[in-house]
Amino acid sequence: PSQEYELTRRRIETNVHELWHFLRSKTNSSIMQTVNEMKHNLLYDLGIIENRDKHWRESELKSLSELVQNKIKELQNPSSCGSAQKLVCQLNKGCGFGCQIHHLAYCMIFSMATKRTLIMNAHNWRYAHSKSKSSEAKGWNSVFLPLSETCLDESGSTRVSWSSAPDLDSYQVIDLPIIDSLRSRPNYLPLSIPEELSSSLIQLHGSPIVWFIGQIVSYLMRPSPEMTDYINQQKDRFKFKTPIVGVHVRRTDKIGTEAAFHPLSEYMKFVADYYDRLDLFNERKQNNKKVERLVYLATDDSSLWAKEVKEFEDKGYVFIGDSQISQTASIGRRYSIDSLRNIILDVWLLSESDFLVCTFSSQVCRLAYELMQTRTHGNSQFAKTDKSSAFYSLDDIYYFGGQTDHNQIAVLSHTPHNKQEINLKIGDIIGIAGNHWNGFSKGLNRNTKENGLYPGFKTIEKIESAHFKLFEPN
Ligand code: GDP
């Protein structure tokens, strides 16, 4: 299939969802029952078209993934650590687990773009503090494999802090600040993807940047043997199986500061919609079996288990997950190894779900969504190869903290119907701020400087790419 065919196929799917969001914001619930069935039926037929090339898509995405993983492995295991070019990243950003993994991912992007081995300084990691200096990486290594088998030493003959200075290449070791403190911003920062991969990725995946970040976080989070055992034990204990919907409810310290409160019932509307879809899919396959409505629930607010879950259990949903989780989210505290394992387990099992319902304002769920793009094994017959559309976020669209502008291109013109809407001319560049999930997105028309609402179906994504040294032919 050509790139245009794949883009068109995916655009139809995106716009089926946009149309549905528009209708559900305008229409009463009795009409929506029929609209929902029409949507599921359209998605079933689109799935048939998609599955025609499933094996091709799977094998192409697999080779791309192998290419990226092998390149990272090569970069991280130089034959001589003493003379290797290095980039040093401090794992002490004052934030939660998802945020810290994203900080490391940002460092890895720099490493890949400049072809420097990434050295992580995990001393004082708040998630697994080790007292003695000699066991710096012990905390990290109790859950993840080391980033290198040959090179963990940050020393070098010359060392400097990162800047855009032209002679930077001549230094052996570079210290990287956090993304928020960068004084100049190289063009390879997210949402850019490596130009060496871009045409394949645009053809194969609905969100190339999410796939690319997924590859990076999956390298960073390669579980240690103990962690692998722990994940498998817990999966057995929960009787984790597919199809399953992952629900992440982020509350505690996030509410009122960075996100709004959403009751579980809001998330469950989209879980219901997903399972209604599977029921219709089964009918179309002439299979009368109803799918068990399994939900993996991850949350930092354990009161949900006691207070909100029962209503939906009574409606036939089955919830699995750790209801004993302690509330661990307060910033500035150190965490026990148990809470570290628990958050990793939650991210892991969310990423192995067939569909995610959460708030993308949380790094935990964005991380799960990124990793989800790398999960190709063991999923149900309904699982898609390209999982970019396998989510519903109650708030933000996907973003990478500290990203450069997220732009779209107008493919249809628009004349405002009211004061909140803005004009679009074909070809206008719009900086998108969010999707209101009612058919409209909000953004800034960079050509007219107008800020406001526009119909999402009138735009397409503008995908940026940049040169990454790591992908230069050897
Ligand atoms: P954000 O604040 O939600 O954007 O994500 P961060 O990862 O930066 O910080 C959230 C922290 O809250 C995590 O590191 C966890 O310690 C805790 N947390 C949030 N959601 C969950 C969850 O579903 N399960 C567990 N075990 N912990 C969570």
Side-chain angles (χ1 to χ4, degrees):
S2 67
Q3 191 180 88
E4 193 193 359
Y5 175 90
E6 288 294 274
L7 287 170
T8 306
R9 183 180 58 70
R10 289 198 304 260
R11 202 161 56 236
I12 296 172
E13 184 179 341
T14 307
N15 286 331
V16 165
H17 292 294
E18 285 292 308
L19 177 61
W20 178 70
H21 284 306
F22 175 72
L23 289 171
R24 77 183 178 91
S25 76
K26 299 274 179 219
T27 316
N28 68 40
S29 59
S30 69
I31 292 178
M32 277 315 285
Q33 279 182 8
T34 308
V35 170
N36 288 343
E37 285 191 341
M38 291 169 91
K39 177 183 82 162
H40 301 321
N41 191 51
L42 281 167
L43 291 177
Y44 181 80
D45 285 334
L46 268 174
I48 294 176
I49 293 176
E50 179 176 346
N51 285 343
R52 187 192 72 165
D53 305 305
K54 191 180 171 75
H55 297 301
W56 162 79
R57 202 171 296 112
E58 263 167 18
S59 84
E60 293 288 309
L61 278 172
K62 187 164 168 249
S63 339
L64 266 189
S65 160
E66 281 166 7
L67 171 79
V68 174
Q69 294 302 320
N70 288 337
K71 284 285 182 187
I72 297 179
K73 206 168 156 194
E74 210 178 284
L75 179 70
Q76 285 307 104
N77 293 288
S79 50
S80 158
C81 189
S83 60
Q85 300 262 86
K86 301 172 186 178
L87 189 87
V88 178
C89 185
Q90 304 290 331
L91 192 54
N92 59 2
K93 197 171 177 181
C95 55
F97 176 77
C99 166
Q100 293 189 334
I101 295 293
H102 282 136
H103 169 59
L104 265 185
Y106 140 83
C107 294
M108 181 60 93
I109 289 169
F110 260 80
S111 286
M112 294 168 79
T114 59
K115 214 172 172 185
R116 286 173 171 272
T117 304
L118 176 62
I119 312 284
M120 164 183 79
N121 184 340
H123 180 60
N124 265 346
W125 190 29
R126 64 193 297 206
Y127 273 93
H129 184 50
S130 47
K131 286 204 189 78
S132 102
K133 274 215 167 182
S134 59
S135 57
E136 281 182 355
K138 204 168 140 221
W140 177 268
N141 292 342
S142 65
V143 285
F144 298 130
L145 297 179
L147 297 193
S148 170
E149 280 157 25
T150 64
C151 193
L152 297 166
D153 174 13
E154 64 179 61
S155 62
S157 51
T158 50
R159 185 164 182 160
V160 70
S161 284
W162 191 85
S163 70
S164 53
D167 67 339
L168 212 66
D169 276 354
S170 63
Y171 289 88
Q172 191 188 351
V173 184
I174 292 178
D175 287 290
L176 195 62
I178 59 172
I179 196 164
D180 324 69
S181 321
L182 278 181
R183 259 171 284 147
S184 69
R185 303 174 60 84
N187 65 351
Y188 47 74
L189 285 178
L191 303 174
S192 279
I193 53 171
E195 65 192 12
E196 294 77 5
L197 311 177
S198 76
S199 97
S200 307
L201 260 185
I202 290 170
Q203 182 179 23
L204 292 163
H205 199 274
S207 285
I209 182 65
V210 180
W211 183 91
F212 181 58
I213 304 285
Q215 291 298 318
I216 293 175
V217 292
S218 106
Y219 182 87
L220 297 171
M221 292 174 65
R222 288 164 308 148
S224 65
E226 300 79 25
M227 190 66 212
T228 304
D229 288 348
Y230 181 73
I231 292 171
N232 289 333
Q233 269 167 28
Q234 298 303 310
K235 279 173 83 165
D236 285 349
R237 177 164 81 94
F238 296 144
K239 300 194 174 63
F240 187 93
K241 60 173 195 234
T242 59
I244 189 163
V245 176
V247 172
H248 177 238
V249 181
R250 178 74 169 96
R251 290 193 181 150
T252 63
D253 62 318
K254 195 93 171 173
I255 303 297
T257 55
E258 294 176 1
F261 177 90
H262 301 277
L264 181 63
S265 56
E266 268 187 61
Y267 298 77
M268 292 307 291
K269 278 187 219 157
F270 297 96
V271 178
D273 182 70
Y274 181 77
Y275 280 114
D276 290 347
R277 191 194 309 178
L278 295 199
D279 284 346
L280 183 135
F281 281 18
N282 263 333
E283 269 193 75
R284 287 281 312 260
K285 290 186 175 164
Q286 318 223 318
N287 174 357
N288 292 327
K289 207 182 74 202
K290 284 256 187 285
V291 181
E292 184 184 40
R293 300 198 162 209
L294 195 59
V295 176
Y296 183 80
L297 177 61
T299 179
D300 57 333
D301 178 4
S302 53
S303 79
L304 244 107
W305 286 96
K307 294 190 185 135
E308 290 171 76
V309 161
K310 187 164 184 313
E311 179 191 342
F312 296 95
E313 282 177 339
D314 291 346
K315 291 180 178 156
Y317 291 88
V318 176
F319 288 82
I320 57 174
D322 206 333
S323 57
Q324 303 303 315
I325 212 112
S326 56
Q327 299 184 10
T328 50
S330 85
I331 296 302
R333 229 198 288 161
R334 290 199 185 279
Y335 298 89
S336 68
I337 193 77
D338 286 343
S339 74
L340 176 61
R341 273 204 220 108
N342 283 335
I343 178 65
I344 297 169
L345 179 73
D346 275 342
V347 167
W348 205 269
L349 297 187
L350 288 170
S351 81
E352 287 193 3
S353 304
D354 295 288
F355 193 82
L356 263 176
V357 183
C358 63
T359 47
F360 272 175
S361 55
S362 171
Q363 311 230 27
V364 172
C365 192
R366 294 204 307 279
L367 181 58
Y369 176 56
E370 291 152 358
L371 278 175
M372 185 188 216
Q373 310 308 318
T374 69
R375 306 291 188 222
T376 50
H377 54 85
N379 278 356
S380 69
Q381 49 164 331
F382 302 107
K384 293 159 79 82
T385 315
D386 164 6
K387 299 187 173 68
S388 59
S389 64
F391 78 96
Y392 182 77
S393 164
L394 300 190
D395 56 18
D396 298 339
I397 52 173
Y398 176 82
Y399 66 97
F400 187 91
Q403 72 186 27
T404 327
D405 305 330
H406 180 173
N407 287 328
Q408 296 187 317
I409 308 167
V411 291
L412 286 168
S413 60
H414 185 67
T415 309
H417 299 298
N418 58 46
K419 275 198 183 139
Q420 280 123 39
E421 294 179 19
I422 59 173
N423 286 282
L424 301 181
K425 275 209 315 291
I426 295 173
D428 281 353
I429 305 295
I430 301 103
I432 178 170
N435 188 323
H436 286 199
W437 310 115
N438 60 2
F440 287 82
S441 290
K442 188 173 184 183
L444 169 71
N445 185 328
R446 298 195 189 279
N447 296 55
T448 62
K449 309 286 179 247
E450 269 188 297
N451 205 342
L453 301 175
Y454 58 93
F457 76 94
K458 295 192 171 184
T459 59
I460 56 170
E461 291 292 306
K462 184 171 191 298
I463 293 173
E464 308 289 349
S465 62
H467 176 56
F468 275 61
K469 266 195 183 170
L470 184 61
F471 296 107
E472 277 172 7
N474 285 335

